[in-house]
Amino acid sequence: AMEEQSAKFVSQKISKARWRPLPPAALQPPDLFATGSWDNEDNRISIWSAGGVGNVGLNGEYQAEPQLLCDIRHDGDVMDMQFLDQERIVVASSTGTVTVFRHHQNNQTLSANQRWEKAHYHVDQDTSCGGAACTGVICNKPEIVTVGEDGRINLFRVDQKDAVRTIDNADSSTLYAVTFLRTTEILTVNSIGQLKIWDLRQQRNEPSQIFSLTSDRVPLHCVDRHPNQQHIVATGGQDGMLSVWDIRQGTMPVSLLNAHEAEMWEVHFHPSNPDHLFTCSEDGSLWHWDTSTDVSEKPSFLHQGGRSTACFSHSTINQSVVSSLLSSDPTKDRIEITNLVPNQTLSVNTLDVLGPCLVYGTDAEAIYVNRQLFA
């Protein structure tokens, strides 16, 4: 089923790819995405049209590959990237700086709209070498939260010059990723396998809750919150395991699933179809975890050498990824897992899903768009 997927070779390693959000009630599939690069002499933020819309060849195959609309130089590696709204993208740099870029759709240009220099730093903001990588950014317009290698959490508001709030020693280890649980609460993951919840209404610089992976202290690289059930989060880390947590119960993950054979870089619930979860890894794979159907009636196969499908049961309440992932009786049903990039050898660093479309980027200097995720 490779014909619905198009590839574009871009001569730079892609660290992040994000769909531009669709306007509310939009019926069309996503049409634009942004990418950021890393480990190149000249890193760039680029805006692409997804292509493929209406460009169908004689045999019904899509012809159009993604087309570059505009790009702009970026100082340092792109560590994370989030759309703030239809026009603005917030980018986290390895230099510690956070930049808001604006995409001008009338003339297809990008400009740096706002910049917080060295939002993250090791010693002090003024020394030339003091920058610490900003590892994660999450937006809930007008608010922007960033985390970094320096264990610092910043709360910015777009169009305000200074941070609204900074928690200086939020963590003694590296913070790798952050997500909003609700408008006043965020969740961070760190390099010693901990999740921490922060209530931004509290003035104390302490987390309101701490969860811990295991005694192994495996670094956690990524986190995503279930779009409808705010107490459910998924995390992935250095050992390639997928962990699913219910933050209402206990301090341990509810389930730990064998996933990738190397670091998991991103995990995403599908925003409108959260029975589907996606993960990508340093091992060159991108997995689609599908719990939408009772898979016990289907043959369970996995395009992965020798690894069998993970087994979990559905709870009777609702047949969602959550109930199957959180179930305690793993004998009845299965989660169907498909590797969407069977023979990629270099790292799949990033993915994003919106509507029927998937975009992902790799260290093989390529971006891929799949327009028929659920075909």
Side-chain angles (χ1 to χ4, degrees):
M2 293 311 278
E3 51 286 337
E4 71 271 14
Q5 178 163 292
S6 54
K8 177 92 177 174
F9 291 91
V10 294
S11 11
Q12 40 189 349
K13 294 182 183 174
I14 298 297
S15 57
K16 291 293 154 186
R18 298 286 179 253
W19 289 111
R20 177 177 71 172
L22 287 167
L27 297 173
Q28 78 271 27
D31 55 346
L32 287 191
F33 63 90
T35 58
S37 68
W38 80 288
D39 197 27
N40 307 290
E41 279 181 29
D42 185 17
N43 288 305
R44 306 195 84 74
I45 306 295
S46 308
I47 304 278
W48 307 83
S49 82
V53 182
N55 296 309
V56 177
L58 291 174
N59 306 322
E61 80 282 12
Y62 287 110
Q63 290 185 308
E65 56 177 28
Q67 300 296 319
L68 180 65
L69 297 177
C70 50
D71 65 354
I72 192 170
R73 201 173 167 280
H74 178 264
D75 202 18
D77 291 340
V78 173
M79 303 294 287
D80 200 5
M81 178 161 85
Q82 289 284 323
F83 273 90
L84 178 74
D85 53 28
Q86 298 278 303
E87 297 181 339
R88 288 177 292 183
I89 312 161
V90 185
V91 181
S93 172
S94 57
T95 64
T97 293
V98 178
T99 310
V100 183
F101 290 97
R102 187 181 286 273
H103 173 215
H104 306 272
Q105 291 174 52
N106 51 358
N107 61 358
Q108 291 304 344
T109 56
L110 273 165
S111 64
N113 192 225
Q114 186 170 4
R115 188 174 273 131
W116 292 286
E117 296 282 348
K118 289 202 188 143
H120 294 272
Y121 54 92
H122 282 306
V123 193
D124 61 83
Q125 266 170 309
D126 306 323
T127 52
S128 57
C129 58
C134 177
T135 48
V137 60
I138 192 81
C139 303
N140 187 12
K141 188 179 171 182
E143 300 193 312
I144 296 165
V145 174
T146 68
V147 296
E149 222 171 57
D150 52 359
R152 193 173 266 109
I153 299 173
N154 290 305
L155 173 62
F156 296 108
R157 216 160 266 140
V158 72
D159 302 330
Q160 290 193 18
K161 191 170 154 300
D162 296 315
V164 180
R165 169 108 190 257
T166 294
I167 305 177
D168 267 328
N169 299 308
D171 211 301
S172 52
S173 48
T174 294
L175 290 169
Y176 277 124
V178 59
T179 190
F180 274 100
L181 292 178
R182 44 180 69 88
T183 47
T184 55
E185 256 186 344
I186 57 168
L187 182 145
T188 57
V189 296
N190 70 12
S191 58
I192 57 169
Q194 293 173 324
L195 281 65
K196 296 182 183 180
I197 297 179
W198 307 82
D199 184 339
L200 297 172
R201 292 165 305 190
Q202 299 287 338
Q203 282 315 301
R204 311 180 299 135
N205 291 341
E206 307 287 315
S208 53
Q209 271 178 288
I210 300 181
F211 302 83
S212 222
L213 201 47
T214 46
S215 50
D216 298 348
R217 298 184 154 222
V218 175
L220 290 172
H221 291 306
C222 53
V223 59
D224 194 29
R225 188 201 83 199
H226 189 283
N228 316 331
Q229 303 185 47
Q230 298 178 320
H231 54 278
I232 302 293
V233 293
T235 62
Q238 187 170 298
D239 56 3
M241 298 281 281
L242 172 65
S243 310
V244 181
W245 312 68
D246 181 339
I247 58 179
R248 298 170 308 183
Q249 358 175 321
T251 56
M252 302 275 289
V254 190
S255 58
L256 277 168
L257 312 181
N258 261 318
H260 300 278
E261 283 159 22
E263 289 90 345
M264 185 189 297
W265 293 130
E266 290 196 1
V267 55
H268 291 285
F269 286 101
H270 191 286
S272 53
N273 207 343
D275 288 350
H276 298 266
L277 183 83
F278 298 82
T279 58
C280 64
S281 167
E282 179 73 27
D283 68 10
S285 62
L286 190 161
W287 284 16
H288 173 188
W289 306 68
D290 175 5
T291 61
S292 60
T293 45
D294 184 351
V295 210
S296 52
E297 292 149 27
K298 299 192 232 169
S300 65
F301 53 85
L302 187 53
H303 320 302
Q304 260 315 85
R307 196 175 265 167
S308 63
T309 304
C311 290
F312 303 92
S313 72
H314 290 301
S315 72
T316 47
I317 311 155
N318 66 350
Q319 297 203 345
S320 70
V321 75
V322 170
S323 49
S324 355
L325 292 175
L326 298 182
S327 141
S328 55
D329 174 8
T331 50
K332 297 197 189 73
D333 289 330
R334 289 152 196 261
I335 297 177
E336 194 170 36
I337 305 169
T338 314
N339 180 8
L340 298 180
V341 271
N343 38 26
Q344 159 77 15
T345 51
L346 294 174
S347 179
V348 180
N349 296 323
T350 182
L351 73 98
D352 198 24
V353 280
L354 188 60
C357 299
L358 162 75
V359 61
Y360 62 96
T362 71
D363 271 354
E365 305 194 339
I367 47 180
Y368 297 85
V369 175
N370 177 331
R371 295 184 195 82
Q372 297 178 354
L373 261 188
F374 303 114

